[in-house]
Amino acid sequence: MKITKYGKNLKYTYMKWNLLILFMGLLLLPGIVKLESTGDNLFHIFINGARMGSVADPKDAERMLWEARREISASERGLVLMDVEMTYVGEEVLYGYVDDSQEVYGNILQALRAGVQETSVLSYTLKMDEYMVNLASMEEMEQLLQAVISKYDSEGKFGVNIVQDENRLFNVLTANAVDRESQSQEQERLAEREQQLFPEAGIQAELTRLFAVDMEKEEKDFGDYDLGILSMDFAEKVEIVEAYLPQSQLQPLDRAIEELTVEQETVGLYEVQPGDTLSEIAIKVNIPMDDIVAMNDSLDDINTMIRAGQELVITVPEPKITVERREVNYYEEIYDAPVQYIDRDDWYTTQTNVIQQPSAGFRKVVAQESYENDKLTQREILKEEVVMEAVAKIVERGTKVPPTYIKPISGGRASSGFGRRKAPTKGASTYHKGQDWATPVGTTVVASCGGRVSKAGWGSGYGYVVYIDHEDGRQTRYAHLSKILVKAGEYVKQGQKIALSGNTGISSGPHVHFEILIGGKQVNPLKYLK
């Protein structure tokens, strides 16, 4: 009995020590900690709903999140946008299992990388009117603008200067072209002036200035002029701003250069100058005459008469950016003397007469010229030596504005036009020499243009008819009338009531027949109506 009881006590003692040792071992295992009872003391961390691990203090998780953000941003060039939301659930426990900090940090880092939406890189945006381009660096921006300048600067004399725009509150840069050599010389002059102990002033400075002016007034020979580009700059205001943009929005440099330098067709207007002909205009604008006719509804063919002040639509090849420059150039050239005009007040502006044909001359010149891209906008001859004198073209021209023509009735339906047709009724012509408008009998007919009535009465196939002679030598005819309201020899004004429409003569129905004659020959009247 005693042995049995002793064995039981021994077994009980052995079990107590084992439990104590096991409990102490659990306390010493990593991650198992005794937590103070102060409310929630164990926190389970989640990012975008996924569990990252457990920590004793949420500030530890916030530090890990910040460090993970920093690590990702350091590995990327630019601004990283992430879709990240960190939450945690707390609980109060006596003993809790805390995850290894490196493991939790790794989980957070992996979750942040998965949550990266896009990376925006530091880039530069060029704005000019409605045009905009995004480039990856300031170096590329300089190369782009330099390519624009170099297209017109074969000597490489000018460079691009990008500076802060003093007129803007925000960080906006502006670009302009600078003469590298002149800029360097100016810097040297300023440095020399600063080093002078006694700079010129008063009477000495004034004498130096007057001497320089006298030197400029001296007659120069051709070899005394400095030829080449004097100045160059962008016509439009060029602005450059920093921006963080996705890589997909950046444009390759070579494509940006092509966009800014390649010429594209742009609609423009050319104002006809006195003495211009369509063939001369075609040479000036470098567009074939047939193409000019096709672009302008006012031109029927290449023989259509044009007048000074008339505007013609033309397409002009132009790049997106305009470079203005001034040059001094030497030429040995064939030249034309300016056209000399003799005004005739009793002639219409459509009348001209050449009384002396021109003859080209030959000369040597030094000229200062202004350009917009390749277009010459201004020319001033600085020195000229005529080898052979040019003979001017002398032209007589009219100054009177020619009369205009209006439709002789209000409304009406165009029923038969000018030209060949199938005869609408027996006895009618198969070549129609006017314009017909179908209209009820009794419609008011007015004078298309002011003039003298040369005929008013019966006109055989025309029925009742009125003829009016006009100051420009043209004649209008109004036929198939029901009633005539004017007499031969009477002078009528434009728009004055002269008759009522009818259905007389050889007619297929109530209408007005209208003709315009030039030099006694009928022409299509619709081409002359205002």
Side-chain angles (χ1 to χ4, degrees):
M1 258 329 255
K2 291 183 180 179
I3 296 174
T4 302
K5 185 177 180 182
Y6 175 78
K8 288 182 178 180
N9 291 335
L10 183 61
K11 185 178 180 181
Y12 176 72
T13 302
Y14 174 76
M15 291 177 64
K16 284 198 303 182
W17 279 103
N18 281 339
L19 289 172
L20 180 61
I21 291 170
L22 178 62
F23 181 73
M24 294 301 294
L26 289 173
L27 289 177
L28 296 175
L29 282 175
I32 301 298
V33 296
K34 182 180 179 181
L35 302 174
E36 296 182 5
S37 179
T38 57
D40 291 344
N41 50 16
L42 181 64
F43 298 88
H44 307 289
I45 307 302
F46 298 85
I47 289 183
N48 295 341
R51 187 178 183 278
M52 301 290 104
S54 299
V55 297
D57 190 340
K59 292 183 179 179
D60 294 337
E62 291 175 0
R63 283 192 293 270
M64 291 180 191
L65 179 65
W66 182 87
E67 180 61 29
R69 284 182 181 274
R70 188 197 63 77
E71 182 175 337
I72 293 174
S73 298
S75 64
E76 300 284 350
R77 186 179 70 87
L79 187 65
V80 182
L81 301 180
M82 306 177 191
D83 182 16
V84 175
E85 180 183 10
M86 188 177 77
T87 59
Y88 54 86
V89 177
E91 61 175 323
E92 184 178 12
V93 297
L94 181 60
Y95 292 98
Y97 180 80
V98 178
D99 292 312
D100 181 70
S101 60
Q102 290 299 322
E103 181 181 350
V104 176
Y105 177 77
N107 293 339
I108 292 175
L109 187 62
Q110 184 178 357
L112 262 59
R113 291 191 188 282
V116 173
Q117 292 181 318
E118 65 179 16
T119 300
S120 296
V121 297
L122 177 61
S123 57
Y124 295 86
T125 299
L126 179 145
K127 296 181 179 179
M128 183 189 62
D129 292 338
E130 297 181 356
Y131 178 74
M132 183 182 301
V133 62
N134 305 315
L135 296 179
S137 66
M138 183 59 73
E139 290 73 19
E140 287 191 356
M141 191 65 69
E142 290 177 355
Q143 292 177 46
L144 171 63
L145 295 174
Q146 186 64 53
V148 174
I149 288 176
S150 298
K151 181 179 178 181
Y152 309 101
D153 178 21
S154 58
E155 299 177 0
K157 184 178 178 182
F158 285 79
V160 175
N161 186 33
I162 299 177
V163 296
Q164 178 71 39
D165 189 344
E166 297 178 354
N167 298 322
R168 301 293 294 272
L169 296 176
F170 301 101
N171 187 27
V172 177
L173 304 175
T174 186
N176 60 292
V178 293
D179 186 334
R180 293 189 177 105
E181 184 178 351
S182 298
Q183 188 180 41
S184 177
Q185 291 175 353
E186 180 63 23
Q187 291 173 351
E188 290 177 1
R189 282 195 296 268
L190 291 174
E192 290 176 0
R193 188 175 298 175
E194 290 177 357
Q195 293 176 1
Q196 289 179 358
L197 295 176
F198 302 102
E200 288 185 350
I203 187 65
Q204 183 61 38
E206 183 63 18
L207 289 173
T208 301
R209 187 188 66 80
L210 291 174
F211 178 74
V213 171
D214 289 339
M215 291 290 289
E216 290 179 0
K217 290 181 179 179
E218 290 183 5
E219 182 69 23
K220 290 183 178 181
D221 197 0
F222 285 104
D224 296 332
Y225 289 90
D226 292 328
L227 304 180
I229 302 176
L230 296 180
S231 64
M232 176 181 285
D233 210 345
F234 304 111
E236 298 86 0
K237 185 173 180 61
V238 178
E239 294 183 337
I240 301 169
V241 295
E242 292 183 359
Y244 280 92
L245 298 172
Q247 192 77 33
S248 59
Q249 293 187 18
L250 301 185
Q251 196 164 357
L253 176 60
D254 56 351
R255 196 168 74 188
I257 290 176
E258 183 179 1
E259 279 190 5
L260 273 187
T261 57
V262 173
E263 295 180 341
Q264 302 177 10
E265 294 294 333
T266 304
V267 177
L269 293 176
Y270 176 84
E271 183 177 343
V272 178
Q273 302 300 312
D276 269 349
T277 63
L278 200 57
S279 60
E280 291 172 341
I281 294 172
I283 294 172
K284 284 182 184 179
V285 300
N286 195 27
I287 299 175
M289 282 194 293
D290 289 338
D291 291 350
I292 296 177
V293 171
M295 284 184 264
N296 291 270
D297 294 336
S298 60
L299 303 178
D300 297 322
D301 51 47
I302 60 174
N303 299 314
T304 303
M305 184 177 293
I306 57 176
R307 63 183 185 277
Q310 182 178 351
E311 290 186 338
L312 299 178
V313 176
I314 56 174
T315 55
V316 183
E318 291 182 351
K320 290 183 181 294
I321 188 169
T322 303
V323 176
E324 296 177 332
R325 68 186 189 280
R326 288 189 304 117
E327 299 181 359
V328 174
N329 295 310
Y330 170 77
Y331 298 98
E332 294 182 0
E333 62 181 15
I334 296 172
Y335 77 101
D336 295 317
V339 179
Q340 297 178 13
Y341 292 98
I342 300 173
D343 291 336
R344 301 297 186 192
D345 294 337
D346 56 339
W347 291 10
Y348 290 107
T349 55
T350 54
Q351 295 175 273
T352 59
N353 179 45
V354 178
I355 60 177
Q356 178 174 288
Q357 293 293 343
S359 176
F362 184 77
R363 65 185 177 184
K364 301 176 182 179
V365 298
V366 172
Q368 179 173 295
E369 299 169 325
S370 297
Y371 290 87
E372 290 181 356
N373 297 330
D374 287 325
K375 179 183 176 183
L376 178 65
T377 57
Q378 189 175 0
R379 192 180 199 225
E380 177 188 357
I381 295 178
L382 304 179
K383 184 175 179 61
E384 177 183 27
E385 181 182 311
V386 177
V387 178
M388 184 174 67
E389 193 79 30
V391 176
K393 182 179 182 179
I394 302 177
V395 180
E396 293 178 297
R397 63 182 181 184
T399 59
K400 283 201 309 181
V401 177
T404 59
Y405 294 80
I406 62 174
K407 185 178 175 182
I409 65 169
S410 176
R413 175 180 58 84
S415 55
S416 184
F418 182 87
R420 294 197 175 277
R421 67 176 181 177
K422 184 177 180 180
T425 188
K426 185 177 180 180
S429 173
T430 57
Y431 190 90
H432 197 222
K433 297 180 180 180
Q435 174 66 45
D436 288 352
W437 288 280
T439 188
V441 173
T443 300
T444 296
V445 179
V446 301
S448 178
C449 180
R452 186 183 64 83
V453 178
S454 57
K455 182 177 181 177
W458 187 258
S460 186
Y462 279 154
Y464 287 110
V465 66
V466 172
Y467 293 0
I468 302 177
D469 295 333
H470 307 286
E471 292 182 357
D472 58 357
R474 298 174 182 176
Q475 186 184 71
T476 54
R477 295 177 178 178
Y478 314 78
H480 306 298
L481 307 171
S482 63
K483 185 176 183 180
I484 296 174
L485 304 176
V486 292
K487 297 178 180 180
E490 183 179 348
Y491 184 84
V492 295
K493 297 179 180 179
Q494 184 181 61
Q496 181 178 330
K497 188 175 181 179
I498 60 172
L500 300 179
S501 67
N503 190 26
T504 58
I506 300 175
S507 173
S508 60
H511 74 285
V512 171
H513 174 86
F514 176 66
E515 295 179 6
I516 295 180
L517 292 83
I518 299 178
K521 183 178 178 182
Q522 286 93 342
V523 296
N524 187 349
L526 296 184
K527 293 183 177 180
Y528 299 89
L529 296 184
K530 182 179 177 181

